Amino acid sequence: MKFHLLPFAVLAVLVHPHSAWSHRHSDHHAQEPLVDIHDFTKPSSSGSGSTWLEKYGQQIDQPFSGPLSFSHLPYSRCLEDESAAFDIAILGMPFDTAVTYRPGARFGPYAIRSGSRRQRETRGYTLSWKNNPYELGSKIMDCGDVPVSPFDNALAVDQMEVAYSTLLARTAASEGSTGSAAVTQKFAKDGKQHPRIVSLGGDHTIVLPILRSLNKVYGPVSVIHFDAHLDTWPAYPGTSTDQSRVTHGTFFYLAREEGLMTNTSIHAGIRCKLAGIADLENDASVGFQLISTDDIDDHGVAAIIKRIRDRVGNSPVYLSLDIDVIDPGLAPATGTPEAGGWTTREVKRIIRGLAGLNFVGADIVEVAPAYDNAEITGIAAADIVHDFLSMLLSSEPPAPHSTWGPARDEL
């Protein structure tokens, strides 16, 4: 019968409206009045002369607003603006016309930038790194995208090489600095300090023009390659021209032919299916050792980090990360997904363990947002780029949290 009480309650108020109002009215005089509160329900006074800047301050971009640059960084068309100075450039390479399965990675740079919208310079400190990469003395800038041709792969590969070489030849904004930023001067043929570039792919083919550019400055480099696939195959069936040999699964083989890599490179996270032992023998001849996905269960994160560091040693190092190294349940937006990958957290933890190596550049590739759900791949990729920045600017891996007692492997 409770539902019958409401009409009677309403009727009581209607019959005795003044009793309820009188009580509220008497309390009004006992309250402290609010002071200097603007009535936001009324238009601003036309005679006040207040501007936005006077009244509210700077026009701050919200995480969901403003121009789209990586982590709301300063944005410049660096390829044409020769006055743009930086120590680390974020450079998009929206190329995806050399894939063997699903296309769409041309939208990867956009997706990664979109995934970074909740990141910014003023909130860049992380518990895991114990630093904010934007406060470590290096100027970091988003240099936009290379306007690659989607119609002519030979032209597009040349455009990416010219673009990368153009930025690599710039004078570093913090020239003369010491520490991790000075690693480029140590290995550069000209003895000068060069900027470093974090490239946003694009399919994995972008690494071939990048290695060509790096070779002009540093000579052969060691490659740390996070991927589900080897990418060292000589060619795919049906290859009939020199240009058709250039794909996202053959570029390392071509780089080895051109002498762009040392014999001290290493894969991490491999789990693809192979034609047989011959694929592994070919891979070794290209200069790679191999860490499989399952090795993390058998040996743990710390052993994987040690093996990578021991392999590349004191050489100049380039890091290339295919998002498909992560399990497709956590990063579905990619062109050639493989079940059974590492978690995002495991990959991030391995990256932290590589800080202090002689990095001359890095990339993240194969993000194809058409296959994403709720931007989870783009967000993961953007977070890994943030890790890259701390990795490039740290002289050693961060120490474990001491308050928890002695460090141990998670497995």
Side-chain angles (χ1 to χ4, degrees):
M1 299 295 291
K2 290 182 180 179
F3 60 92
H4 293 298
L5 299 179
L6 181 59
F8 291 104
V10 174
L11 180 62
V13 173
L14 293 175
V15 173
H16 300 286
H18 295 292
S19 61
W21 164 251
S22 299
H23 177 71
R24 292 198 302 271
H25 186 69
S26 61
D27 287 348
H28 171 74
H29 296 289
Q31 293 176 353
E32 290 289 332
L34 297 174
V35 181
D36 295 330
I37 295 298
H38 178 75
D39 187 350
F40 292 101
T41 65
K42 298 179 179 179
S44 298
S45 173
S46 58
S48 66
S50 295
T51 66
W52 173 277
L53 188 61
E54 291 169 339
K55 189 170 185 178
Y56 294 112
Q58 293 182 334
Q59 183 177 347
I60 300 172
D61 292 332
Q62 301 282 14
F64 46 82
S65 68
L68 187 60
S69 68
F70 184 81
S71 295
H72 300 274
L73 284 170
Y75 178 95
S76 175
R77 297 178 183 269
C78 301
L79 297 177
E80 64 181 55
D81 183 3
E82 296 184 353
S83 67
F86 47 85
D87 297 301
I88 298 177
I90 307 293
L91 181 65
M93 291 189 172
F95 172 88
D96 70 351
T97 47
V99 298
T100 56
Y101 193 47
R102 302 193 301 201
R106 67 180 62 182
F107 297 103
Y110 165 82
I112 297 169
R113 289 188 177 100
S114 182
S116 76
R117 286 177 298 179
R118 291 183 61 247
Q119 301 176 186
R120 60 180 66 233
E121 294 172 276
T122 55
R123 292 180 65 87
Y125 184 93
T126 61
L127 292 174
S128 53
W129 281 100
K130 302 183 181 67
N131 68 34
N132 179 345
Y134 302 108
E135 296 178 351
L136 297 180
S138 291
K139 185 174 181 181
I140 306 172
M141 177 180 289
D142 190 328
C143 283
D145 292 341
V146 182
V148 297
S149 170
F151 311 113
D152 185 330
N153 279 11
L155 173 60
V157 169
D158 183 68
Q159 288 173 325
M160 290 186 283
E161 180 181 346
V162 171
Y164 201 96
S165 295
T166 297
L167 300 189
L168 201 59
R170 295 276 172 87
T171 300
S174 304
E175 187 179 22
S177 63
T178 58
S180 60
V183 68
T184 60
Q185 185 174 5
K186 176 181 177 182
F187 291 99
K189 297 176 182 178
D190 60 8
K192 296 180 180 179
Q193 193 168 321
H194 291 261
R196 290 182 286 185
I197 302 170
V198 176
S199 303
L200 313 179
D203 78 49
H204 222 151
T205 312
I206 73 168
V207 174
L208 180 59
I210 289 173
L211 292 177
R212 287 171 175 170
S213 296
L214 290 170
N215 187 66
K216 299 170 190 174
V217 175
Y218 303 108
V221 298
S222 298
V223 175
I224 299 173
H225 176 222
F226 287 84
D227 205 318
H229 311 91
L230 298 174
D231 295 346
T232 54
W233 287 280
Y236 282 92
T239 297
S240 58
T241 66
D242 287 340
Q243 185 56 45
S244 64
R245 295 182 66 208
V246 182
T247 76
H248 72 160
T250 61
F251 62 92
F252 278 138
Y253 188 89
L254 301 176
R256 180 60 174 170
E257 282 187 336
E258 296 178 22
L260 307 180
M261 301 186 301
T262 65
N263 198 39
T264 54
S265 296
I266 189 165
H267 303 294
I270 300 297
R271 62 187 185 279
C272 65
K273 295 174 178 62
L274 306 170
I277 297 299
D279 280 350
L280 298 176
E281 293 172 345
N282 173 73
D283 187 70
S285 73
V286 176
F288 280 90
Q289 286 186 356
L290 186 152
I291 297 172
S292 75
T293 302
D294 293 338
D295 286 336
I296 204 166
D297 300 319
D298 298 330
H299 305 289
V301 170
I304 287 175
I305 293 170
K306 183 178 185 305
R307 187 173 179 194
I308 293 173
R309 296 185 71 97
D310 289 347
R311 175 63 171 170
V312 300
N314 195 41
S315 63
V317 178
Y318 183 79
L319 190 152
S320 182
L321 189 145
D322 188 325
I323 198 67
D324 71 22
V325 73
I326 297 174
D327 188 87
L330 301 172
T334 191
T336 50
E338 301 281 356
W342 285 341
T343 67
T344 311
R345 180 171 60 87
E346 288 166 340
V347 170
K348 286 167 59 64
R349 189 174 177 192
I350 295 170
I351 290 170
R352 290 200 301 274
L354 303 180
L357 295 175
N358 298 313
F359 288 108
V360 295
D363 70 64
I364 186 164
V365 297
E366 299 284 358
V367 174
Y371 316 111
D372 215 353
N373 295 296
E375 293 188 286
I376 59 174
T377 311
I379 292 169
D383 200 66
I384 288 171
V385 172
H386 188 89
D387 286 333
F388 283 172
L389 298 178
S390 287
M391 177 191 75
L392 292 173
L393 296 173
S394 298
S395 58
E396 61 183 0
H401 294 279
S402 58
T403 54
W404 289 84
R408 72 182 221 5
D409 196 276
E410 63 182 25
L411 300 173

